[in-house]
Amino acid sequence: MKTTYRLPLTQRTRLSLTLVGALVAVLAMSGCSFVQKQTSNAWSVSYEVTVVGEELNRLDAVSYLEAPSRGEDSETVDAGTVATSNLADDASKAVWSTTAMVTATQDSQVTATPGPGTTASCRILLDGTREIASETAARGEAVTCMATTPEFPTRN
């Protein structure tokens, strides 16, 4: 006859097993979150500000939203004062632009202030082609474009 001995579970052993189980559950959940963030869809967003008027060479107080990494919420990037570039086909206009990453269904926004006597317009483009926002401000006033990026189309 075979005798089996069972060691009694002490309170300390039970507590240790409970803590190990909780730690495994937390790690599993945070790992899933990490994987989800790394595989979230993100858009390439182009922010453009065009100026027309007396002072074409710069924009002040420029800021825009960008995700620090794929799957993250958008954060404000303060670009400060930026130089514009004259358009080759129209010397009366100049443009500043940048490209940023924005997670799908998150906010995108650009704001800029032109010099006095200058009018600013802005646009937000998805993947450099699809316009999702545009605005024109009064002469010398800040312009702001904002839009929530759409969900990615489902693939069949």
Side-chain angles (χ1 to χ4, degrees):
M1 175 172 344
K2 189 173 182 181
T3 306
T4 305
Y5 293 99
R6 297 187 102 194
L7 296 174
L9 288 177
T10 64
Q11 189 172 8
R12 177 182 249 171
T13 304
R14 284 187 199 123
L15 179 61
S16 294
L17 289 173
T18 301
L19 290 174
V20 167
L23 180 61
V24 167
V26 167
L27 288 175
M29 286 187 289
S30 65
C32 290
S33 174
F34 176 76
V35 169
Q36 182 179 2
K37 284 184 177 183
Q38 295 304 311
T39 60
S40 294
N41 291 321
W43 291 100
S44 173
V45 174
S46 298
Y47 296 115
E48 295 179 1
V49 180
T50 303
V51 289
V52 177
E54 298 172 9
E55 193 175 319
L56 299 180
N57 60 347
R58 69 179 236 188
L59 288 164
D60 295 315
V62 176
S63 64
Y64 57 93
L65 292 176
E66 179 174 34
S69 61
R70 185 176 290 278
E72 300 283 331
D73 290 342
S74 298
E75 295 180 3
T76 301
V77 175
D78 182 7
T81 299
V82 298
T84 60
S85 300
N86 288 342
L87 296 179
D89 61 343
D90 188 349
S92 69
K93 293 181 181 179
V95 68
W96 169 84
S97 66
T98 192
T99 302
M101 179 178 59
V102 177
T103 301
T105 72
Q106 293 292 315
D107 291 338
S108 60
Q109 178 177 319
V110 62
T111 300
T113 303
T118 305
T119 302
S121 300
C122 59
R123 297 189 323 151
I124 299 175
L125 304 166
L126 292 180
D127 292 336
T129 58
R130 180 177 160 198
E131 184 177 278
I132 60 171
S134 66
E135 291 292 330
T136 300
R139 188 175 292 264
E141 297 294 318
V143 66
T144 299
C145 282
M146 63 178 82
T148 301
T149 59
E151 289 193 22
F152 258 63
T154 57
R155 298 175 198 245
N156 294 330

